[in-house]
Amino acid sequence: MLILMDQSWAILVGLAGGIGATGIGGFLTRGTMHKQVRGQAVIEHEHWLATLRLEAHSTYLQEVDRVLREGRRLWKRMVELKAANDANQSERDLADAANEMCGQIHAVVSAVTPNAERVKLLGPAKILPVVDSLQEALTAFDIESGTAFRAQGAPGWLVHFRGATYKIRQHQREFFELSSAVIQQAPDPRHKPQA
């Protein structure tokens, strides 16, 4: 009977050791799996955010480019109207055309603002000052277009127009360069998040 108890005790100790080892192994496996799942979630989130940023930055650049294209079109039109005015058109016709153009400038500049807000929301933080500078240049272009014509007529408006679009182009280039750097830092699929 003593042998039977020793064997039973050995079986119980072995069984308890096996259950304990299985529990410890399961716990360690669970921890490893949790880290892997969390790491995959971080990678997927970074990829999702990079995709949203790419889309937002591209849309924003397209909208700013649309403002510049519209600006070039209106500038050419004002040059033509000024030449016609110098020939025989009344100053009032030129002023009416300038007011209409200022309304068109306002419309295209206003369309950029929601995209700028989306870019600022998606970040990263280092791009915010560049977006703010570009938005300030666009707003100045919008507001000062009407003021320049009223103060200086067509010649002043044309000079203002050229200077304002130059500033916008500078800030657009700066945004493009920074945005490109941000987009190129898209997450590496081999990225190992730190726990």
Side-chain angles (χ1 to χ4, degrees):
M1 188 168 243
L2 192 55
I3 294 177
L4 187 58
M5 285 186 81
D6 284 341
Q7 286 177 345
S8 297
W9 186 250
I11 291 173
L12 283 175
V13 169
L15 188 59
I19 292 172
T22 302
I24 291 172
F27 180 76
L28 293 175
T29 301
R30 180 186 160 274
T32 302
M33 286 178 58
H34 180 70
K35 281 184 181 179
Q36 287 174 343
V37 168
R38 193 173 68 217
Q40 183 63 32
V42 167
I43 290 170
E44 287 178 13
H45 180 264
E46 287 174 352
H47 180 70
W48 171 76
L49 185 58
T51 302
L52 286 178
R53 282 180 176 158
L54 175 62
E55 180 185 303
H57 292 196
S58 297
T59 302
Y60 183 59
L61 282 169
Q62 289 170 1
E63 287 294 320
V64 171
D65 196 49
R66 184 172 156 237
V67 169
L68 291 171
R69 280 193 319 271
E70 185 68 8
R72 279 190 296 273
R73 186 185 73 75
L74 294 174
W75 191 82
K76 288 177 185 176
R77 184 167 172 226
M78 181 56 82
V79 168
E80 292 167 0
L81 288 172
K82 182 175 176 336
N85 183 53
D86 290 346
N88 62 4
Q89 205 172 23
S90 74
E91 191 68 30
R92 182 71 190 145
D93 292 340
L94 196 57
D96 289 344
N99 283 333
E100 180 186 329
M101 289 180 203
C102 289
Q104 292 170 349
I105 292 167
H106 179 72
V108 293
V109 168
S110 296
V112 175
T113 303
N115 292 312
E117 293 304 318
R118 186 166 184 236
V119 167
K120 289 165 73 173
L121 179 67
L122 292 170
K126 67 183 174 182
I127 209 162
L128 300 183
V130 178
V131 174
D132 288 338
S133 296
L134 184 49
Q135 282 304 110
E136 287 172 16
L138 288 166
T139 301
F141 178 53
D142 179 16
I143 293 170
E144 294 169 7
S145 292
T147 307
F149 185 83
R150 283 188 289 284
Q152 303 164 345
W157 193 77
L158 291 169
V159 169
H160 158 73
F161 221 78
R162 185 167 288 210
T165 55
Y166 178 77
K167 280 183 188 176
I168 293 169
R169 213 173 281 116
Q170 280 183 310
H171 291 300
Q172 181 189 30
R173 190 174 307 116
E174 188 180 350
F175 175 80
F176 175 77
E177 290 169 1
L178 189 55
S179 177
S180 296
V182 165
I183 300 303
Q184 289 175 2
Q185 291 176 351
D188 183 352
R190 297 166 293 168
H191 171 71
K192 302 280 189 221
Q194 297 180 3

